[in-house]
Amino acid sequence: GDASNASKSNPAITNPADDVSPRLVKKYKNMLKIGISIAAVQQIAHVESNLQPADVLRVCGIEEEGDVAEEPQYAISKTAIAPAATKDPMRKYKAMVKSGVPVGAVQQTALRDGMNPEVIIKELGIAKDDDDDDDKENSKPSHFTPVGDKFIEVTADTDLSKVVTRMAQTVQRAAGNRGRSFQYTKTSASVTKATIRVDMETLYNALGALQGVQWAIDQYNATTDMKGTWDEAKAKRQAYAEIATTLGIALPSTMRAQAGIAGLVDLIDHIKIVYKEQLDAIHANCQERGLCDFDSLAFLYTPGSRVLAKHAGGGGVDMICQVVWNRYEQGRTIMGQESRYFQVCFQFIVAVSGEHFAISEVVEGIQSFDGTRSISTLNFVPLMAFPSAEQDSLVEQYRRRGEMYNRVATGKPTYMNYDKSSFFIKSGGGGLRQTNSNGSSAAAAMATGGRIMVDTQGAYDYGHSIGCGYETMVTAIKHKYKEYKLHMRTAKKNQDSSGAGSGMAASTSGGGGGGSIGASSGMALLEAIPQDCMDLVWPSVMGFSFTSKAWGDVLVDSLSEIKFQDDIFDRLVLPLSRKRIIKALIKNGNTDFQDVIQGKGEGSVFLLYGPPGVGKTLTAEAVCEVLHKPLYSVSL
């Protein structure tokens, strides 16, 4: 009541709906026209223009919410399969342009999808409108105040201020620099509302990190209309949920509600406008000449884009990773000299057990350097550096790898064939004695192909882990496995203490709300790899080679189905009567037999005797071929 009386007595207080620009009104109407729900439009309008739901209806000329068809209530299925990709890949970008999304934002989305932004714009038949840039440059941000081109001021205790403060502290790691990166001020003597002043150089160095936060928000919001699995939704929401929890930002309370940090997109755009000349020069140098300098790295590693990680799985074995965030860190050395350091975080998918995949992250650091380098010489080469046709070819190649990885890395052990030069023996470990752990045996194993039982869970149970590949990434996988074991122990403890329900269900669900899926408690695990992440898998799996009689890592690209010689038994030189007896026994043997001692005497045992060369070993090999089972030979 006090607020309403104040507004009546003070004519200067106006309704935000009266000041909304015609351009935004047109955008909201177009969004409704292409089928976006009224609730989603109201959410966006509230973030952008501080409009209330009723104001959105009024400015869009809608008298009642019933005038717009509401979408059915959303619920994530635990078994639903993610929808297949649309036949028209341009449909998404056409809808964005039609709804009034700026061309620059369309290009940014295309880049995150692994597409060439320039090609997309060309296919749409539009050019970037300079008027949009003029509008941005002339528009006044509502959530922060520029102070010339050197600083901005953000109202304290807002979500945006929490993000900006954290980024300023992270970029300016040296204690002596923190004081100049941001400071608190009072707006006036009579107003207790404080602001935070941040210098633009610090924000420019944190641009990639700010974009990373916005990308995490986009990933979160992509699940509000997704008909995917529960695990997939939780994995996509996890990144922003952890950010929000760390910074004390409230998560959406319902499944359909979208996340957002008011003013973050405007701040990112403002930074790009202030540093437009530098960014344009970087763009030209990278795109036209294929060169980069130290200041170009943030442009190359845009959050959400994909990179080719060279030699990630060992010499000559590449893979694709996705950029999560990047930032420049600046401070002073112990000698008092200014220093800069670039960090970028990548993510990829790896199996952490025989049942689950997890998203693993690795942070790569690059020390400041002078001059320029060829982009192709970087350890992580952005896909945007490749021609468009080659980009498509690379993504398709690694998607095929991902489909094989998705099939064999989890689930029951899989009996496969592998090519030569693709198996790497593990040196020692728990469980079976590794008799072939010396260098000469390892070299011999590399020189030959053979058959392998791919068994991720078995390898972990015997004390092994991924050990072949880029050391930093291998270490990240080992840390992820330790996190998984801790998560499972906690889940089991919770299950035992509660005495009811599933521990995993308790740890991955939170009671059904939208925020519960995004809660940072627990670990985001996947039973199957999402279709849009199929190209982000680790290039090797663990298994036991029957050729080398050892555990090791085998390259996924070398795996293939075994072509069993089903006619080998017919070619075995034995009396026909004996062959019939053997075949009948192996085809109809009782595998459920239990000896007096449990676990002993299961299966069938044959004793083959005779002088060398009469076919004892060949008979055993032929039996295994008929049964499509592995043969493990032991020499005494």
Side-chain angles (χ1 to χ4, degrees), residues 150-173:
K150 299 296 184 180
F151 298 91
I152 67 162
E153 287 185 349
V154 186
T155 303
D157 297 327
T158 62
D159 290 347
L160 183 61
S161 71
K162 295 174 183 177
V163 174
V164 169
T165 301
R166 175 57 60 89
M167 298 311 165
Q169 290 174 333
T170 304
V171 168
Q172 298 283 359
R173 281 193 175 274

PDB file of all heavy atoms in Angstrom, residues 150-173:
ATOM      1  N   LYS A 150      36.606   4.062 -19.118  1.00  0.00           N
ATOM      2  CA  LYS A 150      37.593   3.450 -18.244  1.00  0.00           C
ATOM      3  C   LYS A 150      36.982   2.603 -17.137  1.00  0.00           C
ATOM      4  O   LYS A 150      37.613   1.675 -16.645  1.00  0.00           O
ATOM      5  CB  LYS A 150      38.483   4.527 -17.610  1.00  0.00           C
ATOM      6  CG  LYS A 150      39.271   5.365 -18.616  1.00  0.00           C
ATOM      7  CD  LYS A 150      40.272   4.537 -19.382  1.00  0.00           C
ATOM      8  CE  LYS A 150      41.107   5.415 -20.317  1.00  0.00           C
ATOM      9  NZ  LYS A 150      42.089   4.592 -21.079  1.00  0.00           N
ATOM     10  N   PHE A 151      35.733   2.923 -16.742  1.00  0.00           N
ATOM     11  CA  PHE A 151      35.135   2.226 -15.611  1.00  0.00           C
ATOM     12  C   PHE A 151      33.645   1.988 -15.885  1.00  0.00           C
ATOM     13  O   PHE A 151      33.048   2.602 -16.770  1.00  0.00           O
ATOM     14  CB  PHE A 151      35.270   3.044 -14.311  1.00  0.00           C
ATOM     15  CG  PHE A 151      36.678   3.310 -13.885  1.00  0.00           C
ATOM     16  CD1 PHE A 151      37.325   4.476 -14.307  1.00  0.00           C
ATOM     17  CD2 PHE A 151      37.353   2.420 -13.072  1.00  0.00           C
ATOM     18  CE1 PHE A 151      38.632   4.736 -13.917  1.00  0.00           C
ATOM     19  CE2 PHE A 151      38.661   2.682 -12.678  1.00  0.00           C
ATOM     20  CZ  PHE A 151      39.296   3.825 -13.103  1.00  0.00           C
ATOM     21  N   ILE A 152      33.071   1.106 -15.061  1.00  0.00           N
ATOM     22  CA  ILE A 152      31.611   0.991 -14.947  1.00  0.00           C
ATOM     23  C   ILE A 152      31.284   0.926 -13.463  1.00  0.00           C
ATOM     24  O   ILE A 152      32.138   0.559 -12.645  1.00  0.00           O
ATOM     25  CB  ILE A 152      31.042  -0.250 -15.658  1.00  0.00           C
ATOM     26  CG1 ILE A 152      31.518  -1.530 -14.948  1.00  0.00           C
ATOM     27  CG2 ILE A 152      31.377  -0.272 -17.133  1.00  0.00           C
ATOM     28  CD1 ILE A 152      30.689  -2.744 -15.282  1.00  0.00           C
ATOM     29  N   GLU A 153      30.053   1.289 -13.133  1.00  0.00           N
ATOM     30  CA  GLU A 153      29.571   1.165 -11.760  1.00  0.00           C
ATOM     31  C   GLU A 153      28.357   0.253 -11.759  1.00  0.00           C
ATOM     32  O   GLU A 153      27.437   0.419 -12.560  1.00  0.00           O
ATOM     33  CB  GLU A 153      29.216   2.532 -11.180  1.00  0.00           C
ATOM     34  CG  GLU A 153      30.435   3.389 -10.853  1.00  0.00           C
ATOM     35  CD  GLU A 153      30.057   4.695 -10.167  1.00  0.00           C
ATOM     36  OE1 GLU A 153      28.838   5.007 -10.153  1.00  0.00           O
ATOM     37  OE2 GLU A 153      30.950   5.388  -9.657  1.00  0.00           O
ATOM     38  N   VAL A 154      28.395  -0.737 -10.855  1.00  0.00           N
ATOM     39  CA  VAL A 154      27.310  -1.705 -10.724  1.00  0.00           C
ATOM     40  C   VAL A 154      26.738  -1.595  -9.322  1.00  0.00           C
ATOM     41  O   VAL A 154      27.503  -1.487  -8.338  1.00  0.00           O
ATOM     42  CB  VAL A 154      27.811  -3.145 -10.965  1.00  0.00           C
ATOM     43  CG1 VAL A 154      26.647  -4.128 -10.962  1.00  0.00           C
ATOM     44  CG2 VAL A 154      28.590  -3.236 -12.263  1.00  0.00           C
ATOM     45  N   THR A 155      25.424  -1.601  -9.217  1.00  0.00           N
ATOM     46  CA  THR A 155      24.794  -1.549  -7.902  1.00  0.00           C
ATOM     47  C   THR A 155      25.181  -2.768  -7.084  1.00  0.00           C
ATOM     48  O   THR A 155      25.109  -3.899  -7.561  1.00  0.00           O
ATOM     49  CB  THR A 155      23.267  -1.491  -8.045  1.00  0.00           C
ATOM     50  OG1 THR A 155      22.910  -0.358  -8.836  1.00  0.00           O
ATOM     51  CG2 THR A 155      22.600  -1.383  -6.675  1.00  0.00           C
ATOM     52  N   ALA A 156      25.628  -2.537  -5.862  1.00  0.00           N
ATOM     53  CA  ALA A 156      26.076  -3.632  -4.999  1.00  0.00           C
ATOM     54  C   ALA A 156      24.905  -4.530  -4.615  1.00  0.00           C
ATOM     55  O   ALA A 156      23.735  -4.133  -4.661  1.00  0.00           O
ATOM     56  CB  ALA A 156      26.744  -3.068  -3.750  1.00  0.00           C
ATOM     57  N   ASP A 157      25.242  -5.761  -4.246  1.00  0.00           N
ATOM     58  CA  ASP A 157      24.280  -6.760  -3.754  1.00  0.00           C
ATOM     59  C   ASP A 157      23.272  -7.172  -4.815  1.00  0.00           C
ATOM     60  O   ASP A 157      22.177  -7.645  -4.483  1.00  0.00           O
ATOM     61  CB  ASP A 157      23.539  -6.245  -2.502  1.00  0.00           C
ATOM     62  CG  ASP A 157      24.492  -6.008  -1.348  1.00  0.00           C
ATOM     63  OD1 ASP A 157      25.473  -6.758  -1.245  1.00  0.00           O
ATOM     64  OD2 ASP A 157      24.254  -5.071  -0.566  1.00  0.00           O
ATOM     65  N   THR A 158      23.598  -6.987  -6.088  1.00  0.00           N
ATOM     66  CA  THR A 158      22.786  -7.538  -7.170  1.00  0.00           C
ATOM     67  C   THR A 158      23.505  -8.754  -7.733  1.00  0.00           C
ATOM     68  O   THR A 158      24.694  -8.972  -7.493  1.00  0.00           O
ATOM     69  CB  THR A 158      22.572  -6.506  -8.287  1.00  0.00           C
ATOM     70  OG1 THR A 158      23.858  -6.148  -8.849  1.00  0.00           O
ATOM     71  CG2 THR A 158      21.890  -5.254  -7.760  1.00  0.00           C
ATOM     72  N   ASP A 159      22.768  -9.565  -8.501  1.00  0.00           N
ATOM     73  CA  ASP A 159      23.385 -10.753  -9.096  1.00  0.00           C
ATOM     74  C   ASP A 159      24.544 -10.362 -10.007  1.00  0.00           C
ATOM     75  O   ASP A 159      25.590 -11.033 -10.029  1.00  0.00           O
ATOM     76  CB  ASP A 159      22.344 -11.546  -9.880  1.00  0.00           C
ATOM     77  CG  ASP A 159      21.323 -12.222  -8.973  1.00  0.00           C
ATOM     78  OD1 ASP A 159      21.575 -12.270  -7.753  1.00  0.00           O
ATOM     79  OD2 ASP A 159      20.285 -12.683  -9.474  1.00  0.00           O
ATOM     80  N   LEU A 160      24.374  -9.269 -10.758  1.00  0.00           N
ATOM     81  CA  LEU A 160      25.433  -8.836 -11.661  1.00  0.00           C
ATOM     82  C   LEU A 160      26.669  -8.413 -10.879  1.00  0.00           C
ATOM     83  O   LEU A 160      27.808  -8.720 -11.267  1.00  0.00           O
ATOM     84  CB  LEU A 160      24.939  -7.687 -12.541  1.00  0.00           C
ATOM     85  CG  LEU A 160      25.934  -7.176 -13.585  1.00  0.00           C
ATOM     86  CD1 LEU A 160      26.299  -8.284 -14.575  1.00  0.00           C
ATOM     87  CD2 LEU A 160      25.360  -5.967 -14.331  1.00  0.00           C
ATOM     88  N   SER A 161      26.469  -7.733  -9.761  1.00  0.00           N
ATOM     89  CA  SER A 161      27.616  -7.287  -8.965  1.00  0.00           C
ATOM     90  C   SER A 161      28.376  -8.474  -8.380  1.00  0.00           C
ATOM     91  O   SER A 161      29.600  -8.437  -8.247  1.00  0.00           O
ATOM     92  CB  SER A 161      27.156  -6.358  -7.836  1.00  0.00           C
ATOM     93  OG  SER A 161      26.458  -7.067  -6.828  1.00  0.00           O
ATOM     94  N   LYS A 162      27.658  -9.539  -8.046  1.00  0.00           N
ATOM     95  CA  LYS A 162      28.315 -10.732  -7.504  1.00  0.00           C
ATOM     96  C   LYS A 162      29.216 -11.367  -8.555  1.00  0.00           C
ATOM     97  O   LYS A 162      30.340 -11.803  -8.254  1.00  0.00           O
ATOM     98  CB  LYS A 162      27.262 -11.729  -7.017  1.00  0.00           C
ATOM     99  CG  LYS A 162      26.438 -11.235  -5.833  1.00  0.00           C
ATOM    100  CD  LYS A 162      25.320 -12.201  -5.492  1.00  0.00           C
ATOM    101  CE  LYS A 162      24.446 -11.659  -4.350  1.00  0.00           C
ATOM    102  NZ  LYS A 162      23.311 -12.569  -4.052  1.00  0.00           N
ATOM    103  N   VAL A 163      28.728 -11.418  -9.796  1.00  0.00           N
ATOM    104  CA  VAL A 163      29.528 -11.988 -10.873  1.00  0.00           C
ATOM    105  C   VAL A 163      30.731 -11.105 -11.163  1.00  0.00           C
ATOM    106  O   VAL A 163      31.869 -11.588 -11.281  1.00  0.00           O
ATOM    107  CB  VAL A 163      28.672 -12.162 -12.147  1.00  0.00           C
ATOM    108  CG1 VAL A 163      29.533 -12.609 -13.324  1.00  0.00           C
ATOM    109  CG2 VAL A 163      27.545 -13.158 -11.909  1.00  0.00           C
ATOM    110  N   VAL A 164      30.495  -9.795 -11.270  1.00  0.00           N
ATOM    111  CA  VAL A 164      31.580  -8.869 -11.604  1.00  0.00           C
ATOM    112  C   VAL A 164      32.656  -8.875 -10.520  1.00  0.00           C
ATOM    113  O   VAL A 164      33.859  -8.885 -10.813  1.00  0.00           O
ATOM    114  CB  VAL A 164      31.010  -7.449 -11.811  1.00  0.00           C
ATOM    115  CG1 VAL A 164      32.136  -6.428 -11.881  1.00  0.00           C
ATOM    116  CG2 VAL A 164      30.167  -7.395 -13.080  1.00  0.00           C
ATOM    117  N   THR A 165      32.241  -8.870  -9.262  1.00  0.00           N
ATOM    118  CA  THR A 165      33.206  -8.880  -8.169  1.00  0.00           C
ATOM    119  C   THR A 165      34.078 -10.121  -8.210  1.00  0.00           C
ATOM    120  O   THR A 165      35.306 -10.059  -8.064  1.00  0.00           O
ATOM    121  CB  THR A 165      32.485  -8.804  -6.812  1.00  0.00           C
ATOM    122  OG1 THR A 165      31.705  -7.604  -6.761  1.00  0.00           O
ATOM    123  CG2 THR A 165      33.465  -8.810  -5.663  1.00  0.00           C
ATOM    124  N   ARG A 166      33.453 -11.287  -8.415  1.00  0.00           N
ATOM    125  CA  ARG A 166      34.223 -12.533  -8.458  1.00  0.00           C
ATOM    126  C   ARG A 166      35.216 -12.531  -9.626  1.00  0.00           C
ATOM    127  O   ARG A 166      36.363 -12.952  -9.483  1.00  0.00           O
ATOM    128  CB  ARG A 166      33.269 -13.730  -8.559  1.00  0.00           C
ATOM    129  CG  ARG A 166      33.992 -15.080  -8.732  1.00  0.00           C
ATOM    130  CD  ARG A 166      34.971 -15.355  -7.600  1.00  0.00           C
ATOM    131  NE  ARG A 166      34.314 -15.407  -6.316  1.00  0.00           N
ATOM    132  CZ  ARG A 166      33.799 -16.527  -5.808  1.00  0.00           C
ATOM    133  NH1 ARG A 166      33.901 -17.660  -6.453  1.00  0.00           N
ATOM    134  NH2 ARG A 166      33.220 -16.491  -4.625  1.00  0.00           N
ATOM    135  N   MET A 167      34.761 -12.039 -10.790  1.00  0.00           N
ATOM    136  CA  MET A 167      35.658 -12.031 -11.957  1.00  0.00           C
ATOM    137  C   MET A 167      36.816 -11.054 -11.745  1.00  0.00           C
ATOM    138  O   MET A 167      37.951 -11.330 -12.123  1.00  0.00           O
ATOM    139  CB  MET A 167      34.882 -11.665 -13.218  1.00  0.00           C
ATOM    140  CG  MET A 167      33.784 -12.657 -13.577  1.00  0.00           C
ATOM    141  SD  MET A 167      34.373 -14.359 -13.553  1.00  0.00           S
ATOM    142  CE  MET A 167      32.826 -15.256 -13.558  1.00  0.00           C
ATOM    143  N   ALA A 168      36.536  -9.914 -11.130  1.00  0.00           N
ATOM    144  CA  ALA A 168      37.599  -8.940 -10.874  1.00  0.00           C
ATOM    145  C   ALA A 168      38.634  -9.511  -9.922  1.00  0.00           C
ATOM    146  O   ALA A 168      39.846  -9.355 -10.115  1.00  0.00           O
ATOM    147  CB  ALA A 168      36.995  -7.655 -10.309  1.00  0.00           C
ATOM    148  N   GLN A 169      38.163 -10.204  -8.893  1.00  0.00           N
ATOM    149  CA  GLN A 169      39.096 -10.800  -7.938  1.00  0.00           C
ATOM    150  C   GLN A 169      39.917 -11.909  -8.586  1.00  0.00           C
ATOM    151  O   GLN A 169      41.101 -12.070  -8.300  1.00  0.00           O
ATOM    152  CB  GLN A 169      38.318 -11.368  -6.743  1.00  0.00           C
ATOM    153  CG  GLN A 169      37.702 -10.299  -5.863  1.00  0.00           C
ATOM    154  CD  GLN A 169      36.835 -10.905  -4.782  1.00  0.00           C
ATOM    155  OE1 GLN A 169      36.286 -11.994  -4.944  1.00  0.00           O
ATOM    156  NE2 GLN A 169      36.698 -10.189  -3.672  1.00  0.00           N
ATOM    157  N   THR A 170      39.305 -12.674  -9.472  1.00  0.00           N
ATOM    158  CA  THR A 170      40.005 -13.784 -10.106  1.00  0.00           C
ATOM    159  C   THR A 170      41.049 -13.296 -11.092  1.00  0.00           C
ATOM    160  O   THR A 170      42.173 -13.810 -11.135  1.00  0.00           O
ATOM    161  CB  THR A 170      39.001 -14.694 -10.834  1.00  0.00           C
ATOM    162  OG1 THR A 170      38.008 -15.143  -9.912  1.00  0.00           O
ATOM    163  CG2 THR A 170      39.700 -15.900 -11.430  1.00  0.00           C
ATOM    164  N   VAL A 171      40.690 -12.297 -11.902  1.00  0.00           N
ATOM    165  CA  VAL A 171      41.621 -11.779 -12.893  1.00  0.00           C
ATOM    166  C   VAL A 171      42.811 -11.109 -12.216  1.00  0.00           C
ATOM    167  O   VAL A 171      43.967 -11.306 -12.589  1.00  0.00           O
ATOM    168  CB  VAL A 171      40.909 -10.786 -13.831  1.00  0.00           C
ATOM    169  CG1 VAL A 171      41.909 -10.016 -14.677  1.00  0.00           C
ATOM    170  CG2 VAL A 171      39.940 -11.542 -14.734  1.00  0.00           C
ATOM    171  N   GLN A 172      42.527 -10.289 -11.191  1.00  0.00           N
ATOM    172  CA  GLN A 172      43.588  -9.586 -10.466  1.00  0.00           C
ATOM    173  C   GLN A 172      44.010 -10.437  -9.274  1.00  0.00           C
ATOM    174  O   GLN A 172      43.684 -10.156  -8.129  1.00  0.00           O
ATOM    175  CB  GLN A 172      43.087  -8.213  -9.996  1.00  0.00           C
ATOM    176  CG  GLN A 172      42.697  -7.289 -11.126  1.00  0.00           C
ATOM    177  CD  GLN A 172      43.922  -6.675 -11.799  1.00  0.00           C
ATOM    178  OE1 GLN A 172      45.044  -6.932 -11.397  1.00  0.00           O
ATOM    179  NE2 GLN A 172      43.694  -5.866 -12.819  1.00  0.00           N
ATOM    180  N   ARG A 173      44.744 -11.491  -9.544  1.00  0.00           N
ATOM    181  CA  ARG A 173      45.092 -12.430  -8.485  1.00  0.00           C
ATOM    182  C   ARG A 173      46.098 -11.856  -7.492  1.00  0.00           C
ATOM    183  O   ARG A 173      46.084 -12.172  -6.312  1.00  0.00           O
ATOM    184  CB  ARG A 173      45.648 -13.718  -9.082  1.00  0.00           C
ATOM    185  CG  ARG A 173      44.556 -14.627  -9.602  1.00  0.00           C
ATOM    186  CD  ARG A 173      45.106 -16.005  -9.879  1.00  0.00           C
ATOM    187  NE  ARG A 173      44.027 -16.900 -10.269  1.00  0.00           N
ATOM    188  CZ  ARG A 173      43.256 -17.578  -9.446  1.00  0.00           C
ATOM    189  NH1 ARG A 173      43.449 -17.432  -8.144  1.00  0.00           N
ATOM    190  NH2 ARG A 173      42.322 -18.363  -9.862  1.00  0.00           N
TER     191      ARG A 173
END
